[in-house]
Amino acid sequence: GAVVSQHPSWVICKSGTSVKIECRSLDFQATTMFWYRQFPKQSLMLMATSNEGSKATYEQGVEKDKFLINHASLTLSTLTVTSAHPEDSSFYICSAGLAGINNEQFFGPGTRLTVL
Amino acid sequence: DQQVKQNSPSLSVQEGRISILNCDYTNSMFDYFLWYKKYPAEGPTFLISISSIKDKNEDGRFTVFLNKSAKHLSLHIVPSQPGDSAVYFCAASGGNQFYFGTGTSLTVIP
């Protein structure tokens, strides 16, 4: 089956620093990837849709200057949390779908960000 | 290698009947399991969860069962309603990672 990986799986950083999270589709090409934020026992909050070769589409309330998304190739999207603060601590999860297959999404294992 | 599997990509159920969605996992270290519901063009919505110390959790029409020895969990929806038609994902977590299944598309027929 299709595999999506994320790196790093866990990162701890100081307040004010920037953190980059990578999302890769390992055995398929994904023109579109999605970035989510997970709070404990809550829904996955869709942050943005990452489009290869063009700008990401951000959901309402998500600061695009705070969460920079780059979809550099058909297998890689990156999310950079700039000037991270403790309230940014969360699980960040990406997903990618196979073209032409409705609703089938493959999720990455998530990245736990802890901002001190 | 898929650590969480939903072997049925789709399921159709008559309105009023029970919907049973299944999920299998491979890692006995998982200690928390979740079910999400997803409509097209939206992010998954959290439905219900269960920790590994329990074998059942109920919330209204939704009940999740966990069989640790079989590494199997299931979501029961009773009675099923047309508005339940969506894709359902199960997820398992342990330590610092989440693992999701590939989803089961449920159609509830009026």
Side-chain angles (χ1 to χ4, degrees), chain A residues 1-3 6 9-10 36 38-46 91 93 102-112, chain B residues 1-2 32 34 36 38-47 49 87 89 93 95-103 105:
Chain A
V3 177
Q6 281 184 242
S9 59
W10 190 18
Y36 302 89
Q38 166 79 73
F39 295 101
K41 292 195 175 182
Q42 294 186 26
S43 303
L44 281 178
M45 184 191 81
L46 178 63
F91 251 111
I93 299 171
N102 217 14
N103 285 325
E104 190 167 26
Q105 285 288 304
F106 299 92
F107 289 84
T111 296
R112 180 190 285 278
Chain B
D1 189 28
Q2 201 76 16
Y32 191 60
L34 311 92
Y36 295 86
K38 184 183 182 301
Y39 293 115
E42 295 182 14
T45 303
F46 169 75
L47 264 182
S49 64
V87 178
F89 293 93
S93 77
N96 300 314
Q97 295 190 322
F98 267 86
Y99 292 90
F100 284 82
T102 52
S105 179

Side-chain angles (χ1 to χ4, degrees), chain B residues 10-14 19 105-109:
Chain B
S10 63
L11 175 68
S12 291
V13 170
Q14 206 72 34
S19 295
S105 179
L106 172 66
T107 301
V108 179
I109 304 163

Side-chain angles (χ1 to χ4, degrees), chain B residues 6-7 11 13 19-20 23 30 33 37 58 63 72 75-77 84 89 100 103:
Chain B
Q6 292 176 257
N7 292 316
L11 175 68
V13 170
S19 295
I20 300 177
C23 181
F30 289 145
F33 304 89
K37 176 181 179 180
E58 193 172 350
T63 304
H72 177 85
L75 174 68
H76 292 211
I77 307 173
D84 296 329
F89 293 93
F100 284 82

